[in-house]
Amino acid sequence: MGDLMMSVRTRRARRLLVTAGAGALLAAGLNGAGAAAADTRDADVTVSYQCAFPAGPQQVSVRYRAAFPVSAAPGGQVRPGAVTVTLGVPRAAVAGLGAAKIGGTVRVSAVTGQNGASADAGWPALAVEPAAVPDAGAVTLTASGDLPAVTAGPAGDLAFRVGGLALALAPAPAPAEAEAGAGAEAGAEAGTPPDGQAACTPGEGRDQVLATVPLVTPGAGEAPRKQPEKRAALPAGKAPPDCRVLQEEGWQFSGCLYMNGFSNVRKLGGASVLNDPEAPEPALTNVKYNLVPGPTGLGVDVRFRFHEPLRSEATFLTFDFMPTTATMEIDQIGLGTQTAAPYEKGQTRQHVQSSMRVSIRLYDVAVNGTPLEVGDHCQSARPVDVTLSDAPGANITNIVKGGASDGSFEIPPFEGCGVGEDLDPLFTGSVSGPGNYLKITQGAICGLAAATCPPAMPELER
């Protein structure tokens, strides 16, 4: 549950991604790797393609490297640096050429995206430097060239994406660039390209983000976020206005409480706080409960629900130095259950077990102070099931008085992350997975008796 709060006090973060999502990381500035200049940042993305060669379909690895501005003015010109395209072409794909050295051209279908609209980026055909064909293994080919400037819209980050490509390879010396480029397109349309020519599509079936350039109005700094005022303390005997609003029939007692805790996010190697007591408006939890007679005494059966999602602003360090912040929101799905077995002879506390189903959402993400557009629906792809119980030696005595319990849970993959680019792999790769530890401390229930109100926020227990 409280896992994705990423880490309010995280000391280290492990690697975030090494696959396609790394392109998004680079684009967003999460990659601390070298900037080409003070006002540019290098993009370095590898895409796997399926290419339809005359000899049969082949998988081709294509690496894109280029420098992009770290930001641009709304409505202004965005001018990328030169691009270098490195291709790993299986030898079987060009064996029919019967050449010791090959060259040619590569034409990449690149587009820009902004606010849901796409446009052709206008990349020219790039000349492939002649390279020797090895006796075995892939042929490594390199093409490079300048990229045209594009005009940004008035608002919204500008994403550069790479899609399909057309290869036109031939024995060196390569044909003239224009002729080879036209031949690649004509062959693809006819469906019978000559040896060395192929139409290629990304293996994932969609365009891949190469870089994202945020738009910044010159001279305008980031607007400071308005911090909510801390709630005024309630007088003794007074319950919060949102207390006892859980609408469930058939229960003897009702009340409310505060809970908080820590979660260890295994992939990030750090702990995060849940429902931070220092937050201006910590979330309240409402409860309904019955006393259940048993052979040795009374047990307790509880239903609970967060009155509002639990939120925490989290900070972690990407690559051990890049500060990344996010607001994590945990919303409950349905009612949670909590049971306390009757006291057994000689025991001074009840055995307590809790279970709940939640969803996790991320928003207000920023990397080194630069906002990262994740959209309004960046959330866990499926519900998160959490089960907690009192460990041996735990300080919980019973549900009414509160105490600590713990357990572990799995963080599902994420979906719906990104505006104009797919950031799902970023969050899935950085935090999703099993074995995340959670410890929750529940405060005493503010119930019918005035002496039990207002509910007290328990101290955080590690």
Side-chain angles (χ1 to χ4, degrees):
M1 163 177 37
D3 66 288
L4 268 181
M5 315 161 159
M6 303 195 158
S7 91
V8 172
R9 296 178 178 87
T10 300
R11 299 181 184 277
R12 343 186 24 238
R14 296 202 177 117
R15 297 192 157 208
L16 287 182
L17 260 185
V18 292
T19 56
L25 292 175
L26 285 159
L30 287 175
N31 186 349
D39 57 350
T40 62
R41 183 175 298 279
D42 286 340
D44 190 339
V45 176
T46 299
V47 181
S48 177
Y49 283 87
Q50 293 294 326
C51 297
F53 285 96
Q58 297 287 342
Q59 184 170 321
V60 174
S61 175
V62 182
R63 180 184 181 186
Y64 296 95
R65 287 173 291 172
F68 289 84
V70 294
S71 63
Q77 292 283 294
V78 180
R79 189 176 300 278
V83 65
T84 298
V85 182
T86 305
L87 306 96
V89 180
R91 189 178 185 280
V94 295
L97 296 176
K101 181 179 287 190
I102 60 174
T105 61
V106 56
R107 185 183 294 274
V108 180
S109 296
V111 298
T112 59
Q114 193 173 14
N115 298 323
S118 297
D120 186 354
W123 284 20
L126 304 174
V128 175
E129 299 176 10
V133 178
D135 294 334
V139 185
T140 300
L141 302 173
T142 302
S144 59
D146 293 331
L147 297 180
V150 300
T151 302
D157 293 347
L158 180 65
F160 288 79
R161 302 189 189 92
V162 289
L165 58 83
L167 282 177
L169 304 178
E177 177 179 310
E179 295 177 356
E185 293 174 351
E189 292 175 357
T192 57
D195 288 347
Q197 295 192 2
C200 306
T201 57
E204 294 80 4
R206 60 184 177 185
D207 294 351
Q208 300 294 305
V209 175
L210 179 59
T212 297
V213 179
L215 301 188
V216 178
T217 302
E222 184 179 354
R225 295 183 181 179
K226 182 180 179 181
Q227 297 296 326
E229 297 181 1
K230 199 171 183 66
R231 287 179 177 174
L234 293 171
K238 181 74 171 178
D242 298 327
C243 190
R244 294 193 289 269
V245 298
L246 186 59
Q247 300 299 315
E248 288 292 318
E249 300 297 329
W251 298 88
Q252 297 168 312
F253 308 101
S254 65
C256 59
L257 56 89
Y258 286 112
M259 63 172 68
N260 58 40
F262 282 97
S263 173
N264 288 341
V265 185
R266 185 175 61 84
K267 282 189 175 180
L268 293 178
S272 59
V273 71
L274 168 66
N275 204 27
D276 193 343
E278 299 302 320
E281 297 186 5
L284 191 70
T285 298
N286 277 287
V287 299
K288 292 270 192 178
Y289 60 102
N290 288 336
L291 301 179
V292 181
T296 59
L298 292 176
V300 185
D301 186 17
V302 182
R303 297 294 180 270
F304 66 89
R305 199 187 200 304
F306 309 149
H307 183 65
E308 60 272 322
L310 308 186
R311 298 180 181 91
S312 290
E313 185 175 274
T315 300
F316 63 94
L317 297 179
T318 311
F319 302 105
D320 290 335
F321 74 91
M322 182 72 73
T324 303
T325 62
T327 298
M328 193 271 312
E329 179 179 276
I330 296 177
D331 199 6
Q332 196 172 334
I333 301 172
L335 293 176
T337 64
Q338 189 178 49
T339 59
Y343 288 102
E344 297 183 9
K345 187 175 181 180
Q347 288 188 340
T348 58
R349 65 185 183 91
Q350 294 175 306
H351 175 63
V352 175
Q353 185 163 341
S354 307
S355 63
M356 70 194 82
R357 174 167 282 192
V358 301
S359 64
I360 300 170
R361 183 170 78 95
L362 297 175
Y363 59 97
D364 285 351
V365 180
V367 182
N368 203 25
T370 300
L372 173 62
E373 294 290 341
V374 301
D376 295 329
H377 304 287
C378 180
Q379 59 194 22
S380 51
R382 63 176 184 269
V384 182
D385 291 309
V386 181
T387 299
L388 305 173
S389 61
D390 56 312
N395 64 358
I396 191 167
T397 55
N398 59 53
I399 290 174
V400 176
K401 293 182 179 180
S405 56
D406 62 5
S408 63
F409 62 99
E410 179 180 2
I411 304 171
F414 280 78
E415 66 179 10
C417 304
V419 176
E421 58 182 307
D422 182 15
L423 298 181
D424 294 349
L426 164 63
F427 297 105
T428 296
S430 61
V431 296
S432 297
N436 303 283
Y437 176 77
L438 175 65
K439 183 173 184 178
I440 293 293
T441 302
Q442 174 204 316
I445 294 177
C446 163
L448 298 179
T452 62
C453 297
M457 173 64 79
E459 292 187 9
L460 282 170
E461 293 190 21
R462 290 185 178 272

